[in-house]
Amino acid sequence: MTDVSAETEVAERIHAVGIDGTATVFPCAGNDTLLRAGLRAGLEMPYECNSGGCGACAIDVVAGEIDDIWPTAPGLSERQRARGKRLACQCRPRGDCVIKVRLRNEAPPVERPLRHTVTLVGRETLTHDMAEFHFKAAVPARFLPGQYALLDLPGVIGSRAYSMSNLPNDDGIWSFVVKRVPNGNGTAALFDRLAEGSQITLDGPFGMAFLRPDSPRDIVCIAGGSGLSPVLSILRAAAREPKLAGRRLTLYYGGRTPADLCHDKALARDTATAGRIHAVGAISDPEVAEWTGERGFIHEVVKRAVEAGGDPKVFDYYFCGPPMMADAVQRLLMLDWRVPPNQIYYDRFL
Ligand SMILES: Cc1cc2nc3c(=O)[nH]c(=O)nc-3n(C[C@H](O)[C@H](O)[C@H](O)COP(=O)(O)OP(=O)(O)OC[C@H]3O[C@@H](n4cnc5c(N)ncnc54)[C@H](O)[C@@H]3O)c2cc1C
Ligand code: FES
């Protein structure tokens, strides 16, 4: 039998985490991760996925003991582990400790992450395997368009990252476009087990791929599959932003077949995006005969369209989607076109 009082005691114990070589110390609860606690304290901790997959949050534990909640997480190689590296997004402190980490040299987003109990209040089907889920918290939903949250789902080990598809709001609504993953634990819980009225824990916001409305450039968004979620939020915000009134907002959205594409439906539901966004849908399955739109992988479609229009370096780019798609777009922007890094914002859905 689980000893609930012992678990609660561990969760509530607050430990001091020092950053080696500095005077910085931040508090971390026994059930929090070093990464999330550092971000809650306003530190520029390095990270991307918050899910154990990318390795961007690697640290050394210089003193003290930690629990590694996913010791085989793919973000570190066996060699790196043997050399003592750990993932801050997968480490919980057992007591006070000291870590070695190189903080990022940029200001963190203004909204610090917070844990909320949220209730599933609605779900809308978008395609045969995608739906938009709506959760409600007791306090306003504060995040930047393009950011993500971590959801703790019933019966699922580890949190899952999902990007908000809506806009920050006072009603406490957090919406996510989610694609069902075959044999996926988190998506099975969301699609099959979570009934309306169920409560879960949501932690957020996280992520650096948020809309920069002060940039003077036109915006190109590129998404595949559920990568539509953050891009919808970015486009919804951009379409409402007075500073971007004269800017061209383009979305390139890719799927395997026409049945996978739901961008027109999603954009048409919002009066601000309807008619304001230049949207290009593309399919990659060459066997599909009934299709008059663009064909090919989405990075190929973007390459053709943007090069035909002139200089690719004149845009800001936001892209999200599965790793293969995100890698191909990243290569196109960074290696082929040499777009400056401060014009490229992305999340890879590991
Ligand atoms: C920044 C970010 C934003 C994302 N946004 C979206 C979105 O808006 N919509 C969407 O559909 N998908 C999104 N994803 C993908 C999503 O987080 C899930 O990976 C996907 O839904 C598959 O989850 P699953 O549980 O069904 O599959 P599974 O195969 O069961 O799990 C996949 C993921 O869960 C995590 N995981 C697995 N095992 C463990 C463990 N033991 N401990 C801790 N973690 C574990 C890993 O990150 C792994 O990649 C995003 C991912 C990232 C990184
Ligand atoms: S942020 Fe920890 S592995 Fe990606």
mmCIF file of all heavy atoms in Angstrom, residues 48-53 69-70 72 74 90 130 148-149 153 156-164 176-188 190 226-227 229-230 347-350, ligand 1:
data_model
loop_
_atom_site.group_PDB
_atom_site.id
_atom_site.type_symbol
_atom_site.label_atom_id
_atom_site.label_comp_id
_atom_site.label_asym_id
_atom_site.label_seq_id
_atom_site.Cartn_x
_atom_site.Cartn_y
_atom_site.Cartn_z
ATOM 1 N N GLU A 48 14.983 22.783 -23.672
ATOM 2 C CA GLU A 48 14.075 22.862 -24.811
ATOM 3 C C GLU A 48 12.800 22.070 -24.513
ATOM 4 O O GLU A 48 11.771 22.637 -24.231
ATOM 5 C CB GLU A 48 14.733 22.339 -26.100
ATOM 6 C CG GLU A 48 15.741 23.320 -26.681
ATOM 7 C CD GLU A 48 16.468 22.769 -27.884
ATOM 8 O OE1 GLU A 48 15.971 21.822 -28.527
ATOM 9 O OE2 GLU A 48 17.569 23.278 -28.186
ATOM 10 N N CYS A 49 12.921 20.723 -24.518
ATOM 11 C CA CYS A 49 11.715 19.888 -24.506
ATOM 12 C C CYS A 49 11.097 19.683 -23.132
ATOM 13 O O CYS A 49 9.910 19.389 -23.028
ATOM 14 C CB CYS A 49 12.024 18.540 -25.138
ATOM 15 S SG CYS A 49 13.075 17.469 -24.110
ATOM 16 N N ASN A 50 11.879 19.776 -22.067
ATOM 17 C CA ASN A 50 11.374 19.517 -20.715
ATOM 18 C C ASN A 50 10.855 18.091 -20.568
ATOM 19 O O ASN A 50 10.093 17.777 -19.663
ATOM 20 C CB ASN A 50 10.226 20.502 -20.386
ATOM 21 C CG ASN A 50 10.354 21.084 -19.005
ATOM 22 O OD1 ASN A 50 10.720 20.372 -18.088
ATOM 23 N ND2 ASN A 50 10.043 22.353 -18.858
ATOM 24 N N SER A 51 11.213 17.217 -21.497
ATOM 25 C CA SER A 51 10.639 15.873 -21.554
ATOM 26 C C SER A 51 11.694 14.784 -21.639
ATOM 27 O O SER A 51 11.374 13.652 -21.996
ATOM 28 C CB SER A 51 9.723 15.751 -22.782
ATOM 29 O OG SER A 51 8.814 16.799 -22.843
ATOM 30 N N GLY A 52 12.970 15.084 -21.399
ATOM 31 C CA GLY A 52 14.003 14.049 -21.404
ATOM 32 C C GLY A 52 14.559 13.696 -22.769
ATOM 33 O O GLY A 52 15.393 12.802 -22.883
ATOM 34 N N GLY A 53 14.136 14.399 -23.821
ATOM 35 C CA GLY A 53 14.510 13.963 -25.159
ATOM 36 C C GLY A 53 15.652 14.694 -25.840
ATOM 37 O O GLY A 53 16.306 14.147 -26.723
ATOM 38 N N ILE A 69 14.440 10.541 -12.385
ATOM 39 C CA ILE A 69 13.123 9.914 -12.554
ATOM 40 C C ILE A 69 12.993 9.156 -13.876
ATOM 41 O O ILE A 69 12.095 8.359 -14.035
ATOM 42 C CB ILE A 69 11.970 10.937 -12.380
ATOM 43 C CG1 ILE A 69 12.194 12.205 -13.192
ATOM 44 C CG2 ILE A 69 11.767 11.267 -10.928
ATOM 45 C CD1 ILE A 69 11.122 13.266 -12.985
ATOM 46 N N TRP A 70 13.905 9.394 -14.816
ATOM 47 C CA TRP A 70 13.887 8.605 -16.065
ATOM 48 C C TRP A 70 15.344 8.322 -16.445
ATOM 49 O O TRP A 70 15.910 8.998 -17.291
ATOM 50 C CB TRP A 70 13.145 9.364 -17.172
ATOM 51 C CG TRP A 70 12.882 8.551 -18.400
ATOM 52 C CD1 TRP A 70 12.993 7.189 -18.548
ATOM 53 C CD2 TRP A 70 12.451 9.036 -19.676
ATOM 54 N NE1 TRP A 70 12.647 6.808 -19.803
ATOM 55 C CE2 TRP A 70 12.307 7.924 -20.528
ATOM 56 C CE3 TRP A 70 12.168 10.308 -20.176
ATOM 57 C CZ2 TRP A 70 11.896 8.036 -21.861
ATOM 58 C CZ3 TRP A 70 11.760 10.424 -21.504
ATOM 59 C CH2 TRP A 70 11.619 9.304 -22.336
ATOM 60 N N THR A 72 16.877 6.293 -18.199
ATOM 61 C CA THR A 72 17.263 5.918 -19.571
ATOM 62 C C THR A 72 16.757 6.945 -20.584
ATOM 63 O O THR A 72 16.678 6.649 -21.776
ATOM 64 C CB THR A 72 16.691 4.529 -19.918
ATOM 65 O OG1 THR A 72 15.270 4.588 -19.699
ATOM 66 C CG2 THR A 72 17.298 3.433 -19.074
ATOM 67 N N PRO A 74 16.368 9.452 -23.435
ATOM 68 C CA PRO A 74 17.257 9.516 -24.594
ATOM 69 C C PRO A 74 18.069 10.816 -24.742
ATOM 70 O O PRO A 74 18.961 10.881 -25.588
ATOM 71 C CB PRO A 74 16.295 9.360 -25.786
ATOM 72 C CG PRO A 74 14.944 9.725 -25.250
ATOM 73 C CD PRO A 74 14.952 9.399 -23.799
ATOM 74 N N GLN A 90 14.809 15.867 -15.507
ATOM 75 C CA GLN A 90 14.441 14.534 -14.993
ATOM 76 C C GLN A 90 15.027 14.286 -13.603
ATOM 77 O O GLN A 90 15.089 13.132 -13.167
ATOM 78 C CB GLN A 90 14.917 13.440 -15.967
ATOM 79 C CG GLN A 90 14.377 13.575 -17.372
ATOM 80 C CD GLN A 90 12.847 13.466 -17.444
ATOM 81 O OE1 GLN A 90 12.246 12.704 -16.691
ATOM 82 N NE2 GLN A 90 12.226 14.234 -18.329
ATOM 83 N N MET A 130 -6.759 13.770 -34.626
ATOM 84 C CA MET A 130 -6.386 15.002 -33.895
ATOM 85 C C MET A 130 -7.633 15.643 -33.280
ATOM 86 O O MET A 130 -8.703 15.643 -33.880
ATOM 87 C CB MET A 130 -5.709 16.002 -34.823
ATOM 88 C CG MET A 130 -4.307 15.564 -35.166
ATOM 89 S SD MET A 130 -3.178 16.908 -35.537
ATOM 90 C CE MET A 130 -4.019 17.876 -36.663
ATOM 91 N N TYR A 148 4.419 26.132 -24.288
ATOM 92 C CA TYR A 148 3.782 24.845 -23.984
ATOM 93 C C TYR A 148 3.637 24.649 -22.480
ATOM 94 O O TYR A 148 4.205 25.393 -21.671
ATOM 95 C CB TYR A 148 4.561 23.683 -24.612
ATOM 96 C CG TYR A 148 5.956 23.435 -24.070
ATOM 97 C CD1 TYR A 148 6.173 22.573 -23.001
ATOM 98 C CD2 TYR A 148 7.065 24.041 -24.646
ATOM 99 C CE1 TYR A 148 7.455 22.330 -22.515
ATOM 100 C CE2 TYR A 148 8.351 23.810 -24.171
ATOM 101 C CZ TYR A 148 8.533 22.949 -23.108
ATOM 102 O OH TYR A 148 9.794 22.711 -22.629
ATOM 103 N N ALA A 149 2.836 23.628 -22.112
ATOM 104 C CA ALA A 149 2.642 23.256 -20.705
ATOM 105 C C ALA A 149 2.927 21.773 -20.555
ATOM 106 O O ALA A 149 2.959 21.035 -21.548
ATOM 107 C CB ALA A 149 1.207 23.564 -20.277
ATOM 108 N N LEU A 153 -0.882 13.052 -16.665
ATOM 109 C CA LEU A 153 -2.095 12.346 -17.084
ATOM 110 C C LEU A 153 -2.271 11.061 -16.280
ATOM 111 O O LEU A 153 -1.274 10.425 -15.916
ATOM 112 C CB LEU A 153 -2.010 12.057 -18.588
ATOM 113 C CG LEU A 153 -1.974 13.338 -19.431
ATOM 114 C CD1 LEU A 153 -1.414 13.090 -20.818
ATOM 115 C CD2 LEU A 153 -3.372 13.944 -19.511
ATOM 116 N N VAL A 156 -0.052 7.587 -16.348
ATOM 117 C CA VAL A 156 1.066 7.794 -17.280
ATOM 118 C C VAL A 156 2.302 8.217 -16.493
ATOM 119 O O VAL A 156 2.246 9.176 -15.708
ATOM 120 C CB VAL A 156 0.714 8.888 -18.321
ATOM 121 C CG1 VAL A 156 1.883 9.141 -19.262
ATOM 122 C CG2 VAL A 156 -0.525 8.487 -19.099
ATOM 123 N N ILE A 157 3.406 7.511 -16.703
ATOM 124 C CA ILE A 157 4.650 7.879 -16.009
ATOM 125 C C ILE A 157 5.300 9.029 -16.764
ATOM 126 O O ILE A 157 5.506 8.949 -17.979
ATOM 127 C CB ILE A 157 5.621 6.677 -15.950
ATOM 128 C CG1 ILE A 157 4.973 5.539 -15.162
ATOM 129 C CG2 ILE A 157 6.957 7.077 -15.311
ATOM 130 C CD1 ILE A 157 5.756 4.249 -15.195
ATOM 131 N N GLY A 158 5.637 10.089 -16.063
ATOM 132 C CA GLY A 158 6.283 11.246 -16.692
ATOM 133 C C GLY A 158 5.251 12.216 -17.240
ATOM 134 O O GLY A 158 4.157 11.810 -17.649
ATOM 135 N N SER A 159 5.601 13.500 -17.228
ATOM 136 C CA SER A 159 4.693 14.520 -17.771
ATOM 137 C C SER A 159 4.806 14.530 -19.294
ATOM 138 O O SER A 159 5.823 14.137 -19.846
ATOM 139 C CB SER A 159 5.086 15.901 -17.241
ATOM 140 O OG SER A 159 5.206 15.884 -15.838
ATOM 141 N N ARG A 160 3.775 15.007 -19.956
ATOM 142 C CA ARG A 160 3.806 15.162 -21.415
ATOM 143 C C ARG A 160 3.675 16.646 -21.759
ATOM 144 O O ARG A 160 2.866 17.358 -21.150
ATOM 145 C CB ARG A 160 2.665 14.393 -22.080
ATOM 146 C CG ARG A 160 2.732 12.880 -21.888
ATOM 147 C CD ARG A 160 3.939 12.275 -22.598
ATOM 148 N NE ARG A 160 3.932 10.832 -22.567
ATOM 149 C CZ ARG A 160 4.525 10.081 -21.634
ATOM 150 N NH1 ARG A 160 5.168 10.656 -20.629
ATOM 151 N NH2 ARG A 160 4.477 8.764 -21.709
ATOM 152 N N ALA A 161 4.458 17.080 -22.747
ATOM 153 C CA ALA A 161 4.436 18.487 -23.169
ATOM 154 C C ALA A 161 3.389 18.689 -24.256
ATOM 155 O O ALA A 161 3.361 17.925 -25.231
ATOM 156 C CB ALA A 161 5.822 18.866 -23.711
ATOM 157 N N TYR A 162 2.542 19.696 -24.093
ATOM 158 C CA TYR A 162 1.602 20.071 -25.151
ATOM 159 C C TYR A 162 1.581 21.591 -25.272
ATOM 160 O O TYR A 162 1.587 22.303 -24.262
ATOM 161 C CB TYR A 162 0.192 19.514 -24.875
ATOM 162 C CG TYR A 162 0.196 17.997 -24.962
ATOM 163 C CD1 TYR A 162 0.134 17.214 -23.827
ATOM 164 C CD2 TYR A 162 0.351 17.367 -26.193
ATOM 165 C CE1 TYR A 162 0.210 15.825 -23.910
ATOM 166 C CE2 TYR A 162 0.433 15.981 -26.290
ATOM 167 C CZ TYR A 162 0.364 15.221 -25.149
ATOM 168 O OH TYR A 162 0.465 13.866 -25.244
ATOM 169 N N SER A 163 1.552 22.062 -26.521
ATOM 170 C CA SER A 163 1.630 23.501 -26.785
ATOM 171 C C SER A 163 0.232 24.097 -26.833
ATOM 172 O O SER A 163 -0.677 23.500 -27.436
ATOM 173 C CB SER A 163 2.319 23.745 -28.127
ATOM 174 O OG SER A 163 3.510 22.991 -28.188
ATOM 175 N N MET A 164 0.092 25.264 -26.246
ATOM 176 C CA MET A 164 -1.230 25.892 -26.224
ATOM 177 C C MET A 164 -1.603 26.342 -27.640
ATOM 178 O O MET A 164 -0.775 26.894 -28.371
ATOM 179 C CB MET A 164 -1.229 27.104 -25.297
ATOM 180 C CG MET A 164 -1.315 26.770 -23.828
ATOM 181 S SD MET A 164 0.161 25.946 -23.183
ATOM 182 C CE MET A 164 1.230 27.341 -22.843
ATOM 183 N N PHE A 176 -5.235 22.749 -26.255
ATOM 184 C CA PHE A 176 -4.122 22.047 -26.905
ATOM 185 C C PHE A 176 -4.655 21.234 -28.078
ATOM 186 O O PHE A 176 -5.631 20.494 -27.914
ATOM 187 C CB PHE A 176 -3.455 21.063 -25.928
ATOM 188 C CG PHE A 176 -3.079 21.680 -24.606
ATOM 189 C CD1 PHE A 176 -3.945 21.635 -23.524
ATOM 190 C CD2 PHE A 176 -1.851 22.313 -24.449
ATOM 191 C CE1 PHE A 176 -3.611 22.200 -22.294
ATOM 192 C CE2 PHE A 176 -1.501 22.892 -23.225
ATOM 193 C CZ PHE A 176 -2.383 22.835 -22.149
ATOM 194 N N VAL A 177 -4.010 21.349 -29.248
ATOM 195 C CA VAL A 177 -4.307 20.429 -30.349
ATOM 196 C C VAL A 177 -3.380 19.237 -30.169
ATOM 197 O O VAL A 177 -2.154 19.398 -30.109
ATOM 198 C CB VAL A 177 -4.065 21.098 -31.719
ATOM 199 C CG1 VAL A 177 -4.177 20.065 -32.839
ATOM 200 C CG2 VAL A 177 -5.048 22.236 -31.932
ATOM 201 N N VAL A 178 -3.966 18.054 -30.050
ATOM 202 C CA VAL A 178 -3.169 16.847 -29.786
ATOM 203 C C VAL A 178 -3.426 15.818 -30.873
ATOM 204 O O VAL A 178 -4.564 15.636 -31.313
ATOM 205 C CB VAL A 178 -3.512 16.249 -28.401
ATOM 206 C CG1 VAL A 178 -2.677 15.003 -28.129
ATOM 207 C CG2 VAL A 178 -3.279 17.283 -27.302
ATOM 208 N N LYS A 179 -2.332 15.167 -31.289
ATOM 209 C CA LYS A 179 -2.444 14.095 -32.286
ATOM 210 C C LYS A 179 -2.250 12.765 -31.574
ATOM 211 O O LYS A 179 -1.290 12.603 -30.805
ATOM 212 C CB LYS A 179 -1.355 14.284 -33.347
ATOM 213 C CG LYS A 179 -1.433 13.334 -34.512
ATOM 214 C CD LYS A 179 -0.302 13.685 -35.492
ATOM 215 C CE LYS A 179 -0.183 12.710 -36.630
ATOM 216 N NZ LYS A 179 -1.221 12.830 -37.631
ATOM 217 N N ARG A 180 -3.143 11.839 -31.813
ATOM 218 C CA ARG A 180 -3.016 10.522 -31.177
ATOM 219 C C ARG A 180 -1.787 9.808 -31.748
ATOM 220 O O ARG A 180 -1.599 9.770 -32.973
ATOM 221 C CB ARG A 180 -4.256 9.684 -31.463
ATOM 222 C CG ARG A 180 -4.261 8.365 -30.734
ATOM 223 C CD ARG A 180 -5.312 7.468 -31.317
ATOM 224 N NE ARG A 180 -6.656 7.712 -30.811
ATOM 225 C CZ ARG A 180 -7.134 7.205 -29.678
ATOM 226 N NH1 ARG A 180 -6.362 6.456 -28.928
ATOM 227 N NH2 ARG A 180 -8.376 7.427 -29.316
ATOM 228 N N VAL A 181 -0.951 9.288 -30.862
ATOM 229 C CA VAL A 181 0.256 8.571 -31.284
ATOM 230 C C VAL A 181 -0.015 7.076 -31.109
ATOM 231 O O VAL A 181 -0.439 6.660 -30.028
ATOM 232 C CB VAL A 181 1.466 9.023 -30.427
ATOM 233 C CG1 VAL A 181 2.674 8.142 -30.666
ATOM 234 C CG2 VAL A 181 1.796 10.482 -30.713
ATOM 235 N N PRO A 182 0.202 6.259 -32.157
ATOM 236 C CA PRO A 182 -0.057 4.821 -32.011
ATOM 237 C C PRO A 182 0.724 4.252 -30.822
ATOM 238 O O PRO A 182 1.930 4.502 -30.702
ATOM 239 C CB PRO A 182 0.443 4.227 -33.343
ATOM 240 C CG PRO A 182 0.466 5.380 -34.291
ATOM 241 C CD PRO A 182 0.709 6.615 -33.484
ATOM 242 N N ASN A 183 0.036 3.532 -29.956
ATOM 243 C CA ASN A 183 0.613 2.940 -28.735
ATOM 244 C C ASN A 183 1.174 3.976 -27.754
ATOM 245 O O ASN A 183 1.953 3.625 -26.867
ATOM 246 C CB ASN A 183 1.718 1.925 -29.060
ATOM 247 C CG ASN A 183 1.217 0.851 -29.981
ATOM 248 O OD1 ASN A 183 0.125 0.334 -29.786
ATOM 249 N ND2 ASN A 183 1.986 0.540 -31.015
ATOM 250 N N GLY A 184 0.838 5.235 -27.915
ATOM 251 C CA GLY A 184 1.326 6.274 -27.000
ATOM 252 C C GLY A 184 0.529 6.251 -25.698
ATOM 253 O O GLY A 184 -0.704 6.165 -25.727
ATOM 254 N N ASN A 185 1.220 6.342 -24.585
ATOM 255 C CA ASN A 185 0.533 6.283 -23.283
ATOM 256 C C ASN A 185 -0.222 7.567 -22.972
ATOM 257 O O ASN A 185 -1.361 7.540 -22.520
ATOM 258 C CB ASN A 185 1.554 6.021 -22.164
ATOM 259 C CG ASN A 185 2.139 4.643 -22.283
ATOM 260 O OD1 ASN A 185 1.436 3.692 -22.604
ATOM 261 N ND2 ASN A 185 3.435 4.532 -22.053
ATOM 262 N N GLY A 186 0.446 8.710 -23.189
ATOM 263 C CA GLY A 186 -0.172 9.988 -22.855
ATOM 264 C C GLY A 186 -1.378 10.269 -23.728
ATOM 265 O O GLY A 186 -2.439 10.691 -23.237
ATOM 266 N N THR A 187 -1.231 10.049 -25.025
ATOM 267 C CA THR A 187 -2.353 10.364 -25.919
ATOM 268 C C THR A 187 -3.500 9.368 -25.719
ATOM 269 O O THR A 187 -4.670 9.746 -25.835
ATOM 270 C CB THR A 187 -1.902 10.434 -27.397
ATOM 271 O OG1 THR A 187 -1.131 9.280 -27.713
ATOM 272 C CG2 THR A 187 -1.074 11.668 -27.659
ATOM 273 N N ALA A 188 -3.194 8.109 -25.350
ATOM 274 C CA ALA A 188 -4.283 7.156 -25.042
ATOM 275 C C ALA A 188 -5.059 7.652 -23.830
ATOM 276 O O ALA A 188 -6.297 7.589 -23.801
ATOM 277 C CB ALA A 188 -3.708 5.764 -24.788
ATOM 278 N N LEU A 190 -5.403 10.763 -22.849
ATOM 279 C CA LEU A 190 -6.177 11.949 -23.229
ATOM 280 C C LEU A 190 -7.403 11.575 -24.071
ATOM 281 O O LEU A 190 -8.510 12.035 -23.815
ATOM 282 C CB LEU A 190 -5.295 12.888 -24.058
ATOM 283 C CG LEU A 190 -4.566 13.998 -23.326
ATOM 284 C CD1 LEU A 190 -3.565 14.670 -24.247
ATOM 285 C CD2 LEU A 190 -5.530 15.033 -22.774
ATOM 286 N N SER A 226 0.491 17.792 -35.329
ATOM 287 C CA SER A 226 0.063 18.544 -34.146
ATOM 288 C C SER A 226 0.901 19.793 -33.926
ATOM 289 O O SER A 226 0.624 20.577 -33.016
ATOM 290 C CB SER A 226 0.129 17.656 -32.906
ATOM 291 O OG SER A 226 1.426 17.124 -32.807
ATOM 292 N N GLY A 227 1.929 20.000 -34.747
ATOM 293 C CA GLY A 227 2.692 21.249 -34.718
ATOM 294 C C GLY A 227 1.792 22.445 -34.993
ATOM 295 O O GLY A 227 2.173 23.597 -34.767
ATOM 296 N N SER A 229 -0.646 23.260 -33.258
ATOM 297 C CA SER A 229 -1.137 23.821 -31.997
ATOM 298 C C SER A 229 -0.468 25.158 -31.636
ATOM 299 O O SER A 229 -1.144 26.189 -31.547
ATOM 300 C CB SER A 229 -0.954 22.792 -30.867
ATOM 301 O OG SER A 229 -1.776 23.106 -29.786
ATOM 302 N N PRO A 230 0.868 25.213 -31.470
ATOM 303 C CA PRO A 230 1.486 26.496 -31.109
ATOM 304 C C PRO A 230 1.395 27.525 -32.229
ATOM 305 O O PRO A 230 1.304 28.729 -31.972
ATOM 306 C CB PRO A 230 2.944 26.115 -30.840
ATOM 307 C CG PRO A 230 3.164 24.854 -31.599
ATOM 308 C CD PRO A 230 1.856 24.132 -31.570
ATOM 309 N N ASP A 347 9.953 24.513 -31.911
ATOM 310 C CA ASP A 347 9.904 23.415 -30.952
ATOM 311 C C ASP A 347 9.860 22.121 -31.754
ATOM 312 O O ASP A 347 9.099 22.003 -32.722
ATOM 313 C CB ASP A 347 8.645 23.487 -30.072
ATOM 314 C CG ASP A 347 8.874 24.319 -28.818
ATOM 315 O OD1 ASP A 347 10.014 24.304 -28.310
ATOM 316 O OD2 ASP A 347 7.924 24.963 -28.368
ATOM 317 N N ARG A 348 10.697 21.191 -31.326
ATOM 318 C CA ARG A 348 10.702 19.862 -31.947
ATOM 319 C C ARG A 348 9.883 18.962 -31.024
ATOM 320 O O ARG A 348 10.204 18.875 -29.832
ATOM 321 C CB ARG A 348 12.162 19.377 -32.028
ATOM 322 C CG ARG A 348 12.393 18.255 -32.951
ATOM 323 C CD ARG A 348 13.858 17.877 -33.002
ATOM 324 N NE ARG A 348 14.667 18.744 -33.855
ATOM 325 C CZ ARG A 348 15.617 19.569 -33.421
ATOM 326 N NH1 ARG A 348 15.909 19.640 -32.154
ATOM 327 N NH2 ARG A 348 16.298 20.307 -34.265
ATOM 328 N N PHE A 349 8.829 18.330 -31.546
ATOM 329 C CA PHE A 349 7.934 17.506 -30.703
ATOM 330 C C PHE A 349 8.532 16.125 -30.522
ATOM 331 O O PHE A 349 8.203 15.189 -31.232
ATOM 332 C CB PHE A 349 6.549 17.402 -31.331
ATOM 333 C CG PHE A 349 5.737 18.664 -31.265
ATOM 334 C CD1 PHE A 349 6.272 19.841 -30.760
ATOM 335 C CD2 PHE A 349 4.421 18.683 -31.699
ATOM 336 C CE1 PHE A 349 5.524 21.002 -30.692
ATOM 337 C CE2 PHE A 349 3.664 19.830 -31.640
ATOM 338 C CZ PHE A 349 4.213 20.996 -31.142
ATOM 339 N N LEU A 350 9.416 15.979 -29.520
ATOM 340 C CA LEU A 350 10.113 14.700 -29.326
ATOM 341 C C LEU A 350 9.172 13.630 -28.789
ATOM 342 O O LEU A 350 8.229 13.935 -28.092
ATOM 343 C CB LEU A 350 11.265 14.918 -28.353
ATOM 344 C CG LEU A 350 12.334 15.890 -28.864
ATOM 345 C CD1 LEU A 350 13.232 16.334 -27.746
ATOM 346 C CD2 LEU A 350 13.141 15.238 -29.963
HETATM 347 C C1 LIG B 1 7.932 21.157 -26.443
HETATM 348 C C2 LIG B 1 6.935 20.088 -26.919
HETATM 349 C C3 LIG B 1 5.658 20.476 -27.288
HETATM 350 C C4 LIG B 1 4.753 19.509 -27.742
HETATM 351 N N1 LIG B 1 3.518 19.924 -28.141
HETATM 352 C C5 LIG B 1 2.630 19.004 -28.613
HETATM 353 C C6 LIG B 1 1.316 19.406 -29.052
HETATM 354 O O1 LIG B 1 0.931 20.573 -28.984
HETATM 355 N N2 LIG B 1 0.496 18.442 -29.525
HETATM 356 C C7 LIG B 1 0.871 17.119 -29.603
HETATM 357 O O2 LIG B 1 0.062 16.295 -30.037
HETATM 358 N N3 LIG B 1 2.102 16.724 -29.189
HETATM 359 C C8 LIG B 1 2.976 17.618 -28.685
HETATM 360 N N4 LIG B 1 4.215 17.203 -28.247
HETATM 361 C C9 LIG B 1 4.510 15.754 -28.213
HETATM 362 C C10 LIG B 1 3.966 15.170 -26.882
HETATM 363 O O3 LIG B 1 4.665 15.726 -25.777
HETATM 364 C C11 LIG B 1 4.116 13.645 -26.772
HETATM 365 O O4 LIG B 1 5.461 13.266 -26.992
HETATM 366 C C12 LIG B 1 3.208 12.911 -27.744
HETATM 367 O O5 LIG B 1 1.858 13.272 -27.518
HETATM 368 C C13 LIG B 1 3.350 11.395 -27.565
HETATM 369 O O6 LIG B 1 3.079 11.094 -26.221
HETATM 370 P P1 LIG B 1 2.523 9.671 -25.772
HETATM 371 O O7 LIG B 1 2.574 9.625 -24.300
HETATM 372 O O8 LIG B 1 1.216 9.371 -26.435
HETATM 373 O O9 LIG B 1 3.591 8.670 -26.392
HETATM 374 P P2 LIG B 1 4.693 7.821 -25.565
HETATM 375 O O10 LIG B 1 5.457 7.094 -26.629
HETATM 376 O O11 LIG B 1 4.051 7.014 -24.516
HETATM 377 O O12 LIG B 1 5.594 8.933 -24.869
HETATM 378 C C14 LIG B 1 6.332 9.837 -25.631
HETATM 379 C C15 LIG B 1 7.008 10.901 -24.807
HETATM 380 O O13 LIG B 1 6.740 10.825 -23.410
HETATM 381 C C16 LIG B 1 7.913 11.068 -22.648
HETATM 382 N N5 LIG B 1 8.206 9.871 -21.819
HETATM 383 C C17 LIG B 1 8.114 8.587 -22.206
HETATM 384 N N6 LIG B 1 8.454 7.786 -21.170
HETATM 385 C C18 LIG B 1 8.750 8.575 -20.111
HETATM 386 C C19 LIG B 1 9.181 8.321 -18.779
HETATM 387 N N7 LIG B 1 9.365 7.106 -18.293
HETATM 388 N N8 LIG B 1 9.400 9.379 -17.965
HETATM 389 C C20 LIG B 1 9.236 10.626 -18.426
HETATM 390 N N9 LIG B 1 8.818 10.918 -19.702
HETATM 391 C C21 LIG B 1 8.591 9.901 -20.543
HETATM 392 C C22 LIG B 1 8.999 11.353 -23.636
HETATM 393 O O14 LIG B 1 9.135 12.741 -23.799
HETATM 394 C C23 LIG B 1 8.506 10.744 -24.916
HETATM 395 O O15 LIG B 1 8.969 11.431 -26.052
HETATM 396 C C24 LIG B 1 5.127 18.142 -27.807
HETATM 397 C C25 LIG B 1 6.420 17.764 -27.406
HETATM 398 C C26 LIG B 1 7.330 18.720 -26.988
HETATM 399 C C27 LIG B 1 8.700 18.290 -26.570
#
